[in-house]
Amino acid sequence: MNTKIAFFDIDGTLVNVPNGMLHPTDETIRVLNEFKNQGNKIVIATARGEVPESVANIEFDGYICNDGHYIRFNNEILIDEQFDNGMVQKQLDVYAKYNGRSMFNGRGGAWCSFLDDELVIKHRAMFQGTTERPTDVNEVFKTSDVKAVSCCVLFDSAAQLWAAYHELEDEFTMIPYDTGLIRMDVYCKGFTKGTACEYLYQKLGIDYENTYAFGDGINDVEMLQLVKHGIAMGNAIPKLKSVASEITDSVDNDGIAQSFKKHFNI
């Protein structure tokens, strides 16, 4: 099968919200559309629970969200792993011990009691490009109300993060970020972003030799390792660059478009 598939992280790969780059460049949009028009597949692979409007003008074939715990391809939901009530309560109990500010997200809504907290506001600015208070989040809720696929929890210190991490690590899959905005993304045990990409290209019958992935962060390490062509952005963290098969230019300098021109003459 000669069909190729390319997976794309969003933040730091397609867009750079902290730098004011809220949308992919015109050249990135052009090469992705041309690649797709040639019969190939393009798929988002993100920690986000929903794909932002900033990339909505690109018709992706599939979406891997929540670091692999929600997979949709050609409008068919393949994977949707939600927390049960016990998982939600377990998290809330642990986060309360370490002053964690939790933000639960699912296909049917969001649940957060900390919308005016300084760290939560910083998170909105980092990932949504705004500090505006959302109006569609459930602030008062019972455990049984939460129908979430993921939880992002914010901490004041790395020590708090790791203490919570070690209490939950046997029951959940977690991606910790212990520098900058200290937080971790929490999911059911199961898929990761990388294994979700592998699952999808194998399900589609696409040869390993024809698999590509682009990323910049710690949660992209396994993704780049499980495809043939794991391409780190020029702005990627050093650990990701160390496992990448190649390094392209930064997101701000059309790194994806440059790589597509190199590989596909687009």
Side-chain angles (χ1 to χ4, degrees):
M1 186 177 187
N2 290 323
T3 301
K4 300 175 178 63
I5 190 168
F7 300 94
F8 304 91
D9 174 52
I10 295 178
D11 298 289
T13 302
L14 285 168
V15 302
N16 191 353
V17 175
N19 281 8
M21 181 183 170
L22 303 182
H23 301 273
T25 66
D26 290 342
E27 188 62 7
T28 295
I29 294 171
R30 185 191 70 77
V31 298
L32 263 59
N33 285 335
E34 179 62 25
F35 181 74
K36 182 175 178 177
N37 289 340
Q38 292 177 359
N40 302 305
K41 308 300 181 185
I42 54 175
V43 178
I44 285 288
T46 180
R48 288 179 181 252
E50 291 290 342
V51 176
E53 286 297 315
S54 59
V55 298
N57 58 341
I58 303 174
E59 292 187 15
F60 289 93
D61 297 286
Y63 300 90
I64 295 172
C65 298
N66 304 108
D67 276 329
H69 295 267
Y70 176 83
I71 305 174
R72 187 171 80 246
F73 190 83
N74 283 347
N75 293 319
E76 178 186 359
I77 297 174
L78 304 177
I79 301 291
D80 189 5
E81 299 178 333
Q82 291 188 1
F83 299 129
D84 62 30
N85 292 347
M87 291 175 177
V88 173
Q89 191 60 57
K90 172 76 173 183
Q91 290 179 74
L92 289 172
D93 291 343
V94 171
Y95 302 153
K97 289 173 63 176
Y98 302 107
N99 197 27
R101 288 74 135 185
S102 56
M103 302 179 291
F104 289 91
N105 287 279
R107 232 54 52 202
W111 298 263
C112 177
S113 301
F114 307 94
L115 290 183
D116 298 314
D117 182 89
E118 179 183 1
L119 294 182
V120 174
I121 293 170
K122 286 182 178 178
H123 187 273
R124 286 202 295 272
M126 179 179 292
F127 291 101
Q128 298 173 26
T130 180
T131 58
E132 185 175 339
R133 198 178 197 274
T135 58
D136 57 350
V137 175
N138 298 288
E139 296 183 71
V140 179
F141 54 87
K142 303 188 296 291
T143 300
S144 58
D145 296 331
V146 178
K147 308 299 180 187
V149 178
S150 67
C151 181
C152 178
V153 56
L154 302 152
F155 298 93
D156 291 308
S157 70
Q160 291 172 324
L161 178 149
W162 287 113
Y165 180 96
H166 291 309
E167 288 204 29
L168 296 171
E169 61 185 328
D170 291 337
E171 299 176 52
F172 299 90
T173 293
M174 292 171 287
I175 311 293
Y177 302 86
D178 62 2
T179 59
L181 186 60
I182 297 169
R183 67 196 190 278
M184 65 182 179
D185 295 328
V186 183
Y187 310 98
C188 298
K189 279 285 189 186
F191 279 114
T192 62
K193 186 192 283 195
T195 57
C197 292
E198 182 180 53
Y199 160 83
L200 185 57
Y201 71 70
Q202 289 179 348
K203 181 178 179 64
L204 297 174
I206 295 175
D207 295 339
Y208 170 72
E209 297 292 325
N210 291 331
T211 59
Y212 300 77
F214 294 81
D216 73 299
I218 190 66
N219 64 331
D220 297 318
V221 169
E222 188 182 45
M223 177 174 74
L224 265 60
Q225 291 175 320
L226 290 177
V227 298
K228 174 65 175 177
H229 307 278
I231 302 164
M233 305 301 291
N235 51 282
I237 62 170
K239 183 173 181 179
L240 189 67
K241 290 180 178 179
S242 73
V243 303
S245 59
E246 65 182 83
I247 301 169
T248 188
D249 210 332
S250 70
V251 59
D252 298 304
N253 291 322
D254 276 330
I256 290 174
Q258 291 188 38
S259 184
F260 268 57
K261 290 170 187 175
K262 171 185 173 182
H263 284 279
F264 312 118
N265 258 338
I266 292 176

